[in-house]
């Protein structure tokens, strides 16, 4: 059972990226999905999550209005669109299934390998 985040890379300030989350060994469409990030020297931060049918979403204040979470259950893929990126968004981004939701925040269960997003000119 594994998740895999992809789509990271080097982007200039103000730029955009779209991250994807795919799964092997489980039906991703059965689960809420959470996106997390960990910047160098900082703790992992939960930044966004979405219900299994897309019926609810959550955004941390740090990304609200700039990032958009979505999912395509037909293809069993989750997405996180990153816009208006700045250097503070540089981090390894991870997706995870959620075992529960507390105040909108995803409590992660199955983690995937992360993808590095670097925002630099």
């Amino acid at each position: 059972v594994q998740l895999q985040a992809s789509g990271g890379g080097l982007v200039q300030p103000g730029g955009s990226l779209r991250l994807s989350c795919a799964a092997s060994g489980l039906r991703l469409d059965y689960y809420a999905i959470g996106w997390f990030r960990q910047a160098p020297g900082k703790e992992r931060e939960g930044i966004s999550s979405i219900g299994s049918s897309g019926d609810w979403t959550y955004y941390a204040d740090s990304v609200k209005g700039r990032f958009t979470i979505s999912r395509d259950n037909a293809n069993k893929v989750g997405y996180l669109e990153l816009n208006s990126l700045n250097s503070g968004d540089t981090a390894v981004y991870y997706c995870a299934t959620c075992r529960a939701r507390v105040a909108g925040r995803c409590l992660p269960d199955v983690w995937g390998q992360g993808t590095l997003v670097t925002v630099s000119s």
Side-chain angles (χ1 to χ4, degrees):
V1 176
Q2 185 175 338
L3 298 183
Q4 178 67 58
S6 61
L10 174 63
V11 61
Q12 293 187 340
S16 300
L17 283 174
R18 188 175 77 160
L19 307 183
S20 299
C21 177
S24 60
L26 63 84
R27 285 283 302 268
L28 191 60
D29 52 324
Y30 287 176
Y31 299 91
I33 299 170
W35 284 92
F36 300 78
R37 68 183 181 185
Q38 188 165 20
K42 294 187 177 181
E43 293 187 355
R44 191 171 295 186
E45 172 191 18
I47 56 173
S48 187
S49 48
I50 186 169
S52 59
S53 61
D55 53 327
W56 58 265
T57 58
Y58 162 82
Y59 296 95
D61 289 343
S62 57
V63 306
K64 196 174 296 182
R66 300 188 299 122
F67 292 7
T68 302
I69 193 170
S70 63
R71 64 190 302 156
D72 177 354
N73 280 350
N75 291 300
K76 303 178 182 58
V77 181
Y79 298 104
L80 186 68
E81 184 171 347
L82 287 56
N83 297 307
S84 302
L85 286 163
N86 59 63
S87 59
D89 296 315
T90 295
V92 178
Y93 284 72
Y94 301 86
C95 60
T97 59
C98 305
R99 56 182 172 86
R101 177 169 64 135
V102 177
R105 297 171 184 264
C106 169
L107 297 185
D109 187 8
V110 178
W111 287 97
Q113 291 185 318
T115 186
L116 176 62
V117 173
T118 303
V119 184
S120 175
S121 55

